[in-house]
Amino acid sequence: MALTPDSGTRNNYAFALVRIGVGILFLIFGQYKVFGTAFTLHGGFQFWINKFLEGGAYPFMTPILRGFVLPHATAIAFLVAYGELAIGLALTFGILVRSASFCGLIFMLTMIFSSDYPGAGAPFWQYFGASLSHSVFALCFAAFLFGRADSVWSVAAMRKSRASVGGSGNQ
């Protein structure tokens, strides 16, 4: 596949490259959680929630983390693990990109508010600096949600290409 000088086409390839890169990162995040048991069954998830509660959660999230998340930690740990893997697969292969991006955006927002609180007395800019590890992914998911990140290098694009080749050959 040669890149054409058309800027729209070049942007589609660049967007697809970012989509695939984020997908691969989420495959990495999810695979060790799904194929190992430390995160889901042996306290890994609870460790992180307790760490967030010790110093990184926004105040409105504290009752949710203590009252709902920790009592249901094992089920939520499996949801996180398989959710990350599913998001990674969807983005990498370009399948259900918008649905995966919506779920990824919600997940990143929960991570921002659960773990990236710089403290009540922090300057305004530190709220954004503290959330960089999650806000960049949130912005990617928002772009994938509203853009056409699956227009090239995806199962959806392959199906569309095959349909147009098959449709023109039957006339």
Side-chain angles (χ1 to χ4, degrees), residues 90-166:
L91 294 181
T92 301
F93 292 107
I95 304 167
L96 300 171
V97 171
R98 285 196 169 108
S99 299
S101 298
F102 177 77
C103 294
L105 179 59
I106 298 300
F107 180 47
M108 287 302 104
L109 291 174
T110 60
M111 290 300 293
I112 287 169
F113 294 124
S114 296
S115 65
D116 295 332
Y117 184 58
F124 186 67
W125 65 267
Q126 283 186 351
Y127 287 88
F128 298 101
S131 73
L132 281 177
S133 60
H134 299 110
S135 61
V136 170
F137 281 121
L139 290 170
C140 288
F141 287 129
F144 302 154
L145 183 60
F146 295 111
R148 294 274 311 151
D150 61 349
S151 64
V152 295
W153 293 340
S154 68
V155 170
M158 277 186 2
R159 285 184 177 167
K160 186 177 178 181
S161 175
R162 284 188 180 161
S164 66
V165 169

Side-chain angles (χ1 to χ4, degrees), residues 9 16 21 25 48-49 62 72 75 84-86 106 113 119 126 130 149 160:
T9 303
L25 289 171
W48 284 106
I49 297 302
T62 301
H72 303 95
E84 286 180 353
L85 190 67
I106 298 300
F113 294 124
Q126 283 186 351
K160 186 177 178 181

